[in-house]
Amino acid sequence: LFLLSTLMVFAYETIIIKFPDRENWVKAYYKKVGLEAILQYVPAGQGSNNWTKSVVVHSYNQSTYPISVFLTNSTAKLLKANPTAGYKTLRLTDNDAIVGRCTKNYGKIQAQCEFFRVTRGYEGIVTIHYMNKDKDDFMENYNQWYNIIKGAKLYNSYYRDERMLDKAEYFEL
């Protein structure tokens, strides 16, 4: 019994995102500090500060907030940064939520459209944020990206070297 309880401490949670087949997305930024990890993916040739589209994944290990509370707090912060559009709830359950919006230019912040997902992970809360600075492209690919963000999967492994996954499509939380 003791051995089984210690295995939980050494579990490795990862996220799998299936990017569009014809697009080459690359990791632009990754940092893990304490109980938080943040990762940013952008199309190849772009960077963490100069992107047209971006997927940001943020994990909060050991976070026990209800999803609805976490979503409300997170979107309030995003609205404070750019209040030009409210969020529309697209999916809301006890363990998963997705909201969307399109903003206008505000101060130094460029207009963008986005999906913001908050989901319960094995070890805490994970957010997945897809942003696109081209509204026409966002609307043209709305269903595809909604399904990508909705379909992102969390995977829990007890072995760090268990890599049955495509390394381009996952990262350790």
Side-chain angles (χ1 to χ4, degrees), residues 5 8 14 24-25 41 48-49 57 83 105 134 137 140 151 163:
S5 65
M8 293 300 286
T14 60
N24 184 18
W25 285 71
Y41 280 109
S48 63
N49 293 320
V57 179
N105 289 332
D134 181 342
D137 182 63
E140 183 177 318
R163 295 301 181 219

Side-chain angles (χ1 to χ4, degrees), residues 14-34:
T14 60
I15 188 164
I16 305 165
I17 301 172
K18 184 68 176 156
F19 290 99
D21 291 334
R22 296 178 307 277
E23 295 181 22
N24 184 18
W25 285 71
V26 296
K27 182 171 59 174
Y29 179 84
Y30 176 78
K31 187 170 185 176
K32 188 170 184 176
V33 177

Side-chain angles (χ1 to χ4, degrees), residues 85-105:
Y87 281 89
K88 178 180 180 183
T89 301
L90 305 170
R91 173 188 171 105
L92 180 59
T93 70
D94 289 342
N95 293 312
D96 195 59
I98 302 174
V99 295
R101 76 172 181 165
C102 286
T103 64
K104 297 177 182 173
N105 289 332

